[in-house]
Amino acid sequence: MTDPIRTIVIVGGGTAGWMAAAAAARFLNDGQRRILLVESDAIGTVGVGEATIPPIRDFNNMLGIDEAEFLRETGATFKLGIEFVDWGALGERYLHPFGDPGHNFEGIAFHQYWLKHRHDPRIGAFTDYFITAAAVRHRGCAPQSGDPRSPLHQMAAAYHFDAALYASYLRRRAEAQGVERIEGRITGVARDGGSGHVAALRLADGRDVAGDFFIDCSGFVSLLLGKEMGVAYRDWSRWLPCDRAFAVPSARTDPLIPATRATAHGFGWQWRIPLQHRTGNGIVWSSAHAGDDEARDTLLANLDSEELAEPRQLRFTAGVRERLWEGNVVALGLAGGFIEPLESTSIHLIQTGINKLFWLFPDRSFSAVERDEYNRLMIDQYEYVRDFIILHYKATARTDTSFWRDMAAMEIPDSLAQKIELFRTKGRIRRFDHDLFGVANWAAVMLGQNIVPDGYDPLVDATDDDRIIAAMERIASVFDQQARAMPPHADYIARLVAR
Ligand code: FAD
C-alpha cells in the first residue's frame, strides 16, 4: 500500500516553477491531488534564459504543445547551434552545430574519418558535414525528417524564446489544467517536529500554505533547500569565475540567424539571441577581472541594434547544492544550482530534473533509495555540464588579458583532464552514462577550441580511403544544396506562425 502525496506545493513562478507546474498538471493530476504554485509578483523572476538545446522539444511534445502556437505565444525562433567568436584564439570563430555529422561509416564516429583525411584538399572543415551548420551558413531552416536516409534527419533544432512569455504561456496551460496559483510573499516556513519535513509556508499576509511535497523553484535565494534545509552549495567558481551579468534587449535584426552567438571578450563573453520581435543580449563576466562599468560599456558597444531598455544586472556563483532532494523538498532551476549560460543548459537541467523526479516520484514514506538515486543522477548531470563549459575556457590560446591567462593556467577537474587527454591521442570521446552532450558535441567544441588529436582511431584504416573521401565530398555537397534550398529562417517561422 502506498500513501500518496495529496498536495504538491511549487515555490516560485519563474521558468522552473511553471515548467514544473505544467508537467505536474499533465502527469500528476489524478483528480485526487492538489497542485499549488506560490509566487510573488513583487519579487519577480530573473527573466533571462532564452536559449535552449534540442531536448526542449521533447519537453514541449511531452506537454502536448503545438509548435505553431508555441512560436506565436513566445516569440520563438529556431536554434541550430552556437557560434563561438574569439574563443580558441582572437579572430577565430567556430560553430557548435546541433545533431550528428555526416554518417558513421562502419559504426565508427564520423569525426574519426575527418581526422584521418582532413589534410586532403577535397575535405572541408569539420562543420561542413553537419546539415545544421549548412543551414546556419545560409540562414535557412527546415523541419527535421523522420527518415534516417534523408539529409534532414539530423536537422536537430532547439529554440530561442522570450523567457517571460514562455513562463506565462506555461502558466495559462497549467492553470487551465487545474494548478492553483497563489500570489503572495513567503516569509516563513513551518517544519514537522518529528521528520523535519517542510509542513507549510507562511505568507506575508498571514495565510499558511500546507503541503506534503514541496518543489523549490524560488531562484537564487533557494528558499527551502538552501535557506530552510541548509543544504550547502558546492562552489565551482575556481573553474568558472564568471559571476556577474548584464542583460539588455535590442531591436530585431535581419536576416534572422538560426543560432546563438557567444562572443568572447577580455574578461568574459557576450550572448546574442535572435527572437521574432527583438534580440536578447547580455554579457557574462568575472568581477575579479573587470568592473561593472567596463562590462556594461563593452556590452553596449557590441550590440548589433539599438538597445530597447536599460541593462539589468544579475549576480551568481557557479555551482550546485550538495543535494537537490532533501526530506520532502526537491529544488529545480536556480534554487538548485547554476553553471553560467554558455551552452544554454540551465533550462535543460530543469527539464531533466522534472523527468527524473517523475520517474522517482515519492509517496509519503519518502524512500531514501529514491531520493539518493535522484541526487546521484542530478549531481552527475551538473558535473557533465560543468566540464563541458570549463572546456571552452581552458582550451584557449588567448593570452591577451589576465582573465584568459588565468583560464589557460587553471587546474581543471580530473574528469575533464582525462577527457581532453584521451581526445588528444586518437580523438576518442570518453562519455559517461546519461552524459547530456554526445560525441559530436564534444568533438565540435574540442576541435573548435583547437584541440586537434595526434592520431585517429586505427579501425578507420580498414575502410577504403577513396570510397570514404568520395562519400564525404558527396555529403558536404548534398548538405550545402539542401541548405540553399531551405526557406530563410524568418520566412519559415512566418509560415508556421500563420498556420
Ligand atoms: P526565477 O526566475 O528567479 O524565479 C524565482 C521565483 O520564485 C519567482 O517567481 C519569485 O517571485 C519566486 N520567489 C522567490 N522568493 C519568493 C518568496 N519569498 N515568496 C514568494 N515567491 C518567491 N538558461 C538557459 O537555459 N538558457 C539561457 O540562455 C540562459 N541564460 C541565462 C543568463 C543569465 C545571466 C542567467 C543569470 C541565467 C540564465 N539562464 C539561462 C538560466 C535561466 O534564467 C533559469 O534557469 C530560469 O530562468 C529559471 O529560473 P528560476 O525559475 O529557477 O528562478
Side-chain angles (χ1 to χ4, degrees), residues 11-17 38-40 43-52 184-186 217-221 223 245 271 273 284 314 316 332-335 338 341 344-348 350:
V11 175
T15 310
V38 184
E39 69 172 320
S40 161
I43 294 174
T45 66
V46 298
V48 282
E50 313 203 306
T52 61
R185 192 161 59 82
I186 300 159
C217 301
S218 61
F220 288 127
V221 59
L223 213 60
W271 79 76
I273 297 176
V284 174
L314 298 131
F316 55 87
L332 294 173
L334 302 173
F338 183 53
S344 326
T345 48
S346 192
I347 292 171
H348 178 76
I350 299 170

Side-chain angles (χ1 to χ4, degrees), residues 189-200 224 227-230 326 328:
V189 178
R191 306 271 290 268
D192 179 274
S195 63
H197 286 184
V198 171
L224 298 186
K227 256 180 139 173
E228 182 59 35
M229 310 294 270
E326 181 86 343
N328 63 340

Side-chain angles (χ1 to χ4, degrees), residues 122-393:
R122 291 164 292 175
I123 296 303
F126 181 52
T127 46
D128 287 359
Y129 304 93
F130 288 78
I131 185 68
T132 44
V136 171
R137 198 163 55 243
H138 295 294
R139 314 299 192 223
C141 203
Q144 185 166 27
S145 164
D147 179 355
R149 289 162 308 176
S150 163
L152 295 176
H153 184 59
Q154 287 301 333
M155 193 68 187
Y159 302 113
H160 303 117
F161 54 61
D162 184 312
L165 294 179
Y166 187 54
S168 38
Y169 175 56
L170 293 182
R171 172 179 165 184
R172 284 196 298 281
R173 293 180 64 92
E175 287 187 312
Q177 291 174 4
V179 172
E180 300 166 51
R181 176 184 181 276
I182 300 169
E183 167 64 33
R185 192 161 59 82
I186 300 159
T187 50
V189 178
R191 306 271 290 268
D192 179 274
S195 63
H197 286 184
V198 171
L201 310 173
R202 167 59 57 95
L203 305 188
D205 60 11
R207 280 176 295 167
D208 284 332
V209 180
D212 305 316
F213 185 55
F214 291 78
I215 305 182
D216 184 356
C217 301
S218 61
F220 288 127
V221 59
S222 193
L223 213 60
L224 298 186
L225 192 75
K227 256 180 139 173
E228 182 59 35
M229 310 294 270
V231 177
Y233 197 68
R234 261 188 219 178
D235 180 339
W236 287 338
S237 56
R238 64 188 174 286
W239 299 305
L240 296 168
C242 289
D243 58 352
R244 298 271 195 284
F246 273 118
V248 69
S250 69
R252 171 181 159 155
T253 53
D254 285 296
L256 203 56
I257 303 170
T260 305
R261 183 176 298 155
T263 304
H265 292 311
F267 41 80
W269 64 278
Q270 176 162 348
W271 79 76
R272 181 186 181 285
I273 297 176
L275 303 178
Q276 290 176 45
H277 52 302
R278 62 169 171 81
T279 306
N281 309 274
I283 192 163
V284 174
W285 86 97
S286 156
S287 62
H289 295 85
D292 291 1
D293 291 346
E294 194 181 354
R296 191 176 183 280
D297 293 349
T298 305
L299 169 66
L300 295 178
N302 287 284
L303 297 181
D304 290 351
S305 54
E306 185 197 346
E307 70 243 41
L308 301 176
E310 274 296 301
R312 202 161 57 86
Q313 198 185 94
L314 298 131
R315 294 168 175 229
F316 55 87
T317 303
V320 66
R321 299 267 154 206
E322 292 285 348
R323 294 174 299 286
L324 293 156
W325 180 337
E326 181 86 343
N328 63 340
V329 173
V330 165
L332 294 173
L334 302 173
F338 183 53
I339 320 180
E340 84 132 275
L342 195 68
E343 293 285 355
S344 326
T345 48
S346 192
I347 292 171
H348 178 76
L349 287 166
I350 299 170
Q351 175 182 348
T352 307
I354 292 171
N355 288 344
K356 298 197 188 317
L357 175 59
F358 287 6
W359 175 53
L360 292 164
F361 198 72
D363 57 22
R364 286 203 288 187
S365 67
F366 288 101
S367 141
V369 181
E370 290 161 357
R371 179 202 61 205
D372 292 350
E373 181 64 1
Y374 183 84
N375 285 328
R376 183 186 72 80
L377 289 169
M378 287 307 295
I379 297 295
D380 280 356
Q381 288 295 318
Y382 274 83
E383 289 183 350
Y384 300 152
V385 171
R386 176 200 68 192
D387 284 2
F388 194 52
I389 308 296
I390 296 172
L391 170 67
H392 299 66
Y393 289 101

Side-chain angles (χ1 to χ4, degrees), residues 447-460:
L447 294 169
Q449 301 274 152
N450 300 318
I451 303 178
V452 183
D454 303 327
Y456 56 85
D457 185 338
L459 294 184
V460 162

